Amino acid sequence: MHELAGRTAVVTGAASGIGRALATRFAADGMRVVLADVVPEPLEQTVAELRSAGHEVTGVPTDVTSPESVEALRDAAVAAYDRVHVLCNNAGVGSGAEGRMWEHERTDWHWAMDVNVYGVVHGIAAFVRTCSSTATKATS
């Protein structure tokens, strides 16, 4: 994928699962990748593995439920690589409890909504407004 080489991708939820697979594929396609996850240890491990494979990656501990944390992710990505070309608002969780859905606590549902819905909203608000204006200026 020549059009991806040298570009920058940001992936939330990048320490495991689909996010890790996205980050790995983007790196394999020659992209610079900013990996974000709320759990620092697996994030650091994933970053170390990708770097040892020769990829240009940065890890940023990020809580997508916090607008300020997502804005700090954006700032770190722009500081490291100047632009962001691809944003994968991938972080996601289940409702947080085992068992029947009607037995879950409301706090479980609030947490799931905060990550799965507001995490995406925070990503859009932080990245699209800032990074799209940067891209528009660069192509003008």
Side-chain angles (χ1 to χ4, degrees):
M1 295 258 160
H2 299 296
E3 64 270 9
L4 297 179
R7 296 193 180 223
T8 303
V10 174
V11 181
T12 65
S16 63
I18 294 169
R20 183 181 174 124
L22 287 166
T24 301
R25 180 56 193 246
F26 287 144
D29 286 340
M31 294 189 83
R32 302 172 299 191
V33 185
V34 180
L35 292 80
D37 205 281
V38 71
V39 186
E41 294 80 18
L43 174 63
E44 292 166 8
Q45 180 181 353
T46 303
V47 168
E49 288 174 11
L50 289 173
R51 282 185 181 155
S52 71
H55 301 297
E56 190 173 356
V57 298
T58 300
V60 181
T62 305
D63 178 358
V64 298
T65 69
S66 163
E68 296 81 11
S69 185
V70 178
E71 290 167 3
L73 169 63
R74 176 207 56 216
D75 294 346
V78 171
Y81 302 119
D82 295 324
R83 291 193 189 135
V84 174
H85 301 92
V86 175
L87 171 64
C88 294
N89 282 313
N90 169 73
V93 296
S95 66
E98 297 293 324
R100 297 178 179 104
M101 291 176 62
W102 57 87
E103 294 173 346
H104 295 192
E105 300 294 325
R106 284 189 180 198
T107 55
D108 297 328
W109 290 103
H110 285 286
W111 175 62
M113 292 295 291
D114 284 346
V115 173
N116 299 340
V117 176
Y118 288 104
V120 174
V121 170
H122 298 154
I124 291 168
F127 281 87
V128 174
R129 193 174 319 141
T130 301
C131 295
S132 64
S133 65
T134 302
T136 302
K137 290 177 191 172
T139 59
S140 298

